[in-house]
Amino acid sequence: MPGTLDNPGTPTAPGTPTAPGTPTAPGTPTAPGTPTGPRPEPLRFFGTTWLNHDDGYALRRVGASLGSLAAAAAGCFLLRFAYQGLQIADVGGFVGMLVIVMFAVCSAIAFRKTWEGFSAHSADPAREQSLRSLKTIGFVGSLLAYFFRSLTEAPGEKLHRTEYEAALKQYERRRGTRTGNPAARKKKSKRK
């Protein structure tokens, strides 16, 4: 990728976007006012406000928590209508109980997997793909996980912050140890 640390010899044209979180090579020409180094990845509904908790971050958290709670309540209301439809169809008590258990189990799995996804990336993407239908059926669990996480932070903020800080440290380490880096030489000469 042009302009990344993996390929520092290739300059990036000014104004050329790079992937979020991808550090640019030191000394690479960029648009005026554009910071070099890793950039934080945006979160859904929050953008990059999670980094400094600015630009309405608190209001976005309140909106995300209330919105997910309202969506979960609406989902429960729709599931109630579906269950009443089964009662009207007179399918029997066993089928009704089976539907309730299925939604409860799927919601519990969806809650757990969504909650785990806020703090760590999945080690097995194929397994996550196979659980997608269960998470869709248990959408109420996913919405509730989003609600509870929004009470403390933007969902996924901790994971993104950890990754961003690690990328920033790696960028600073590479920048400081890179031979021929005038910025690093100026810092060393000032210390003497």
Side-chain angles (χ1 to χ4, degrees):
M1 177 176 225
T4 62
L5 289 177
D6 298 331
N7 193 2
T10 309
T12 303
T16 304
T18 56
T22 304
T24 57
T28 303
T30 57
T34 304
T36 59
R39 288 180 288 243
E41 290 191 38
L43 288 174
R44 183 181 298 160
F45 305 123
F46 292 91
T48 57
T49 61
W50 60 267
L51 186 62
N52 297 321
H53 295 182
D54 56 357
D55 292 334
Y57 171 80
L59 288 175
R60 290 175 191 231
R61 267 191 40 210
V62 169
S65 61
L66 291 178
S68 59
L69 186 62
C76 289
F77 194 65
L78 289 176
L79 290 176
R80 180 175 177 230
F81 275 130
Y83 183 73
Q84 285 178 345
L86 289 175
Q87 285 181 332
I88 292 170
D90 197 26
V91 293
F94 177 72
V95 174
M97 187 58 68
L98 193 64
V99 168
I100 291 172
V101 169
M102 178 195 64
F103 274 108
V105 168
C106 289
S107 291
I109 291 171
F111 181 90
R112 186 172 142 246
K113 288 298 180 182
T114 303
W115 191 265
E116 289 173 355
F118 293 144
S119 57
H121 289 294
S122 173
D124 188 8
R127 180 172 165 81
E128 286 297 314
Q129 185 67 23
S130 67
L131 289 174
R132 178 174 266 172
S133 59
L134 282 176
K135 288 170 73 174
T136 303
I137 293 169
F139 67 97
V140 173
S142 292
L143 289 169
L144 289 176
Y146 206 85
F147 165 72
F148 286 118
R149 192 57 152 209
S150 295
L151 295 176
T152 58
E153 68 174 8
E157 177 181 343
K158 184 178 181 181
L159 175 64
H160 279 71
R161 189 173 300 281
T162 304
E163 290 174 347
Y164 176 70
E165 288 172 356
L168 200 57
K169 285 179 186 176
Q170 182 181 19
Y171 171 75
E172 290 298 327
R173 187 174 53 242
R174 284 184 178 176
R175 184 172 181 245
T177 60
R178 185 170 171 240
T179 57
N181 185 356
R185 269 190 265 140
K186 287 179 185 176
K187 287 180 183 177
K188 288 180 183 177
S189 63
K190 288 180 182 179
R191 290 182 192 158
K192 292 181 182 180

